[in-house]
Amino acid sequence: DQVYAFQELNLKGAGVAVQAFTLTELIAEKMRALLQQPIRKRNRRQDIYDIAYLVKANSFSDQDLSQIIATLIEKCQTRGISPDRDSIEHPEVRERAAREWS
């Protein structure tokens, strides 16, 4: 998968640095996975939980939100998905994300 933005995390005491998604990249990736559910015939309920948690735990500037949208569009295009503002509301996307929620 194409990564558009990452951050370097330094693990204290271990002397190790790892690369990780930025918050905006992570949210865009999880949204892309949700939109891809019907194509892959998979359910991604955990991504709904993760997105809700990340949105509640953080504040986002207009620039952050624009970055999420731009990254989502780029990620979708690499998978042959053409998202629009209503894609996340598609009945099959919603139904698959809700499966096994309980």
Side-chain angles (χ1 to χ4, degrees):
D1 285 343
Q2 177 67 42
V3 177
Y4 298 92
F6 65 89
Q7 58 189 337
E8 187 169 285
L9 304 175
N10 293 303
L11 305 178
K12 291 182 181 178
V16 175
V18 295
Q19 291 181 344
F21 283 160
T22 62
L23 184 58
T24 57
E25 178 93 13
L26 179 60
I27 291 172
E29 179 63 23
K30 289 189 168 291
M31 291 180 74
R32 192 263 327 138
L34 287 171
L35 296 179
Q36 196 176 13
Q37 292 176 117
I39 297 165
R40 297 187 70 198
K41 307 287 187 228
R42 297 185 65 201
N43 307 327
R44 301 289 304 185
R45 69 187 180 282
Q46 70 275 16
D47 289 328
I48 294 294
Y49 174 86
D50 293 343
I51 292 168
Y53 175 82
L54 294 169
V55 168
K56 188 174 180 179
N58 297 279
S59 58
F60 298 92
S61 67
D62 288 344
Q63 183 179 353
D64 293 333
L65 297 174
S66 293
Q67 186 62 47
I68 291 169
I69 292 168
T71 303
L72 171 62
I73 291 168
E74 289 180 31
K75 286 179 170 290
C76 284
Q77 288 174 342
T78 66
R79 301 290 182 108
I81 301 168
S82 300
D84 61 36
R85 74 175 341 132
D86 298 320
S87 295
I88 205 74
E89 297 292 329
H90 187 277
E92 188 174 3
V93 169
R94 292 177 58 91
E95 187 273 326
R96 285 184 172 280
R99 280 188 195 162
E100 302 169 12
W101 181 253
S102 59

